[in-house]
């Protein structure tokens, strides 16, 4: 089968094929913003980690959106007496299922995946967005005219309505404060900027990104968010900085880490707020 053309909006592209491409992604942008050395380690030297939480998130996406990798639970008979997946039978089962393209989890994890899926689909606003006519797992590819970099992104759900694109997130805390912290720590504002720029350059502009957050523990509450103007501006500046930094590092063939000099540490903002609240 010939490789699908990597230009503009591409539907039905297998996930492995999408992630196997050379274009600059939002994940790569966030990695180079840590330091170029981090980016080199992951994307040039090939040290990409796969975390269990990613399997759970992928499984929830697949069930909610109806496309993507499907999930299967270990049969109880292949687990150890304590329920661990460390027997020869469990390893063989996992290898067989993963070779068939399935995600393998324990039954308790599958129960949580199903519960999260049900919670999202029962949430009135989240369900309304996800039931608009549109496409799930929509890949886009374009060239940034400022830097010449090839860009890519993959929307969880792309409604035909151009007002928004949808990003589904599983999280420990979907409250406004909790999800705001997670969004900042994981650079969702950078992702938003990268995605919307790529969509615009690909000829399929979106006005906004809507984040659907579902907690991964009972009672699985769901919330829907957008960034405020301040975070939008910060995300756009940081995403642009990531593109410029990659071009600079390629030109100089240098991939620096942290400063080689001694630096002074200042207390973080939250520490000052803590002191003020305690009257110190």
């Amino acid at each position: 089968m010939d490789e699908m053309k990597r230009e503009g909006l591409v539907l039905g592209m297998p996930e492995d094929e999408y992630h196997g491409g050379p274009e600059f992604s939002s994940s790569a942008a966030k990695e180079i913003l840590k330091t170029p050395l981090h980016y080199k380690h992951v994307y040039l030297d090939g040290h990409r980690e796969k975390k269990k939480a990613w399997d759970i998130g992928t499984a929830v996406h697949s069930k909610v959106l109806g496309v993507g990798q499907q999930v299967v639970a270990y049969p109880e008979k292949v687990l150890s007496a304590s329920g661990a997946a460390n027997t020869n039978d469990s390893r063989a089962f996992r290898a067989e299922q993963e070779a068939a393209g399935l995600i393998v989890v324990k039954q308790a994890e599958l129960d949580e995946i199903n519960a999260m899926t049900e919670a999202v689909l029962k949430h009135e606003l989240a369900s309304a967005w996800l039931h608009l006519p549109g496409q799930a797992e929509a890949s886009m590819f374009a060239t940034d005219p400022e830097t010449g970099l090839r860009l890519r992104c993959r929307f969880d759900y792309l409604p035909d309505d151009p007002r928004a694109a949808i990003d589904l997130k599983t999280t420990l805390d979907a409250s406004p404060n909790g999800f705001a912290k997670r969004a900042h720590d994981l650079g969702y504002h950078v992702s938003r900027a990268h995605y919307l720029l790529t969509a615009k350059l690909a000829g399929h502009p979106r006005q906004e990104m809507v984040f659907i957050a579902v907690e991964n523990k009972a009672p699985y509450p769901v919330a829907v968010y957008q960034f405020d103007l301040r975070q939008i501006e910060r995300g756009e500046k940081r995403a642009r900085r990531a593109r410029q930094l990659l071009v600079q590092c390629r030109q100089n063939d240098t991939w620096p880490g942290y400063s080689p000099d001694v630096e002074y540490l200042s207390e973080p903002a939250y520490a000052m707020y803590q002191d003020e609240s305690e009257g110190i």
Side-chain angles (χ1 to χ4, degrees), residues 119-138:
V120 171
L121 296 178
K122 281 186 174 180
H123 188 276
E124 184 176 358
L125 182 55
S127 181
W129 276 110
L130 292 169
H131 281 89
L132 288 174
Q135 300 291 334
E137 302 293 0

Side-chain angles (χ1 to χ4, degrees), residues 78 157 229 265:
V78 306
Y157 194 71
L229 290 178
L265 295 177

Side-chain angles (χ1 to χ4, degrees), residues 8-278:
L9 172 62
V10 180
L11 303 177
M13 175 173 282
E15 188 172 355
D16 288 347
E17 184 176 331
Y18 167 80
H19 288 293
E23 301 88 1
F24 194 50
S25 67
S26 66
S27 296
K30 290 181 284 189
E31 201 68 36
I32 203 169
L33 287 171
K34 294 178 185 176
T35 72
L37 185 62
H38 284 87
Y39 173 88
K40 180 179 182 296
H41 179 74
V42 175
Y43 289 93
L44 301 185
D45 299 339
H47 298 292
R48 300 194 190 193
E49 296 181 7
K50 184 177 181 181
K51 300 179 181 179
K52 182 65 176 179
W54 296 351
D55 281 346
I56 302 299
T58 298
V60 173
H61 279 70
S62 297
K63 282 186 167 287
V64 169
L65 301 172
V67 298
Q69 270 187 293
Q70 299 305 301
V71 61
V72 63
Y74 288 101
E76 187 175 349
K77 64 182 180 181
V78 306
L79 301 175
S80 70
S82 64
N86 58 4
T87 65
N88 289 335
D89 286 344
S90 67
R91 294 188 187 99
F93 178 83
R94 182 183 185 92
E96 179 183 357
Q97 300 303 317
E98 288 184 342
L102 300 177
I103 297 169
V104 186
V105 298
K106 293 183 179 179
Q107 184 60 51
E109 293 171 325
L110 181 54
D111 292 342
E112 289 188 332
I113 289 166
N114 290 333
M116 282 186 274
T117 300
E118 183 178 5
V120 171
L121 296 178
K122 281 186 174 180
H123 188 276
E124 184 176 358
L125 182 55
S127 181
W129 276 110
L130 292 169
H131 281 89
L132 288 174
Q135 300 291 334
E137 302 293 0
S139 303
M140 289 195 191
F141 304 88
T143 300
D144 175 33
E146 180 182 14
T147 60
L149 289 177
R150 291 286 295 156
L151 308 178
R152 76 167 186 247
C153 69
R154 189 174 173 94
F155 290 98
D156 289 343
Y157 194 71
L158 192 69
D160 296 339
D161 185 334
R163 288 179 298 169
I166 311 302
D167 202 357
L168 176 61
K169 300 292 187 185
T170 58
T171 182
L172 183 63
D173 185 352
S175 70
N177 287 338
F179 193 71
K181 183 179 186 305
R182 181 174 177 82
H184 176 270
D185 291 345
L186 296 184
Y188 292 167
H189 56 319
V190 176
S191 296
R192 173 202 172 276
H194 181 94
Y195 275 54
L196 294 189
L197 173 65
T198 305
K200 178 181 178 180
L201 295 173
H204 298 272
R206 300 283 128 170
Q207 294 177 18
E208 195 48 76
M209 284 279 285
V210 173
F211 293 86
I212 298 174
V214 54
E215 289 188 9
N216 53 19
K217 298 296 179 184
Y220 312 104
V222 176
V224 181
Y225 296 108
Q226 291 179 216
F227 282 117
D228 63 20
L229 290 178
R230 182 184 178 193
Q231 282 291 78
I232 288 173
E233 291 174 358
R234 289 188 69 251
E236 290 174 347
K237 288 178 180 178
R238 290 185 63 77
R240 185 183 186 196
R241 171 59 180 157
R243 297 190 297 274
Q244 294 172 334
L245 192 55
L246 178 58
V247 171
Q248 177 184 328
C249 289
R250 283 179 173 176
Q251 289 174 343
N252 299 328
D253 194 24
T254 57
W255 307 89
Y258 301 120
S259 171
D261 301 320
V262 174
E263 296 196 6
Y264 291 98
L265 295 177
S266 301
E267 64 178 0
Y270 68 79
M272 292 185 284
Y273 295 144
Q274 181 181 10
D275 288 350
E276 290 177 3
S277 68
E278 296 175 358

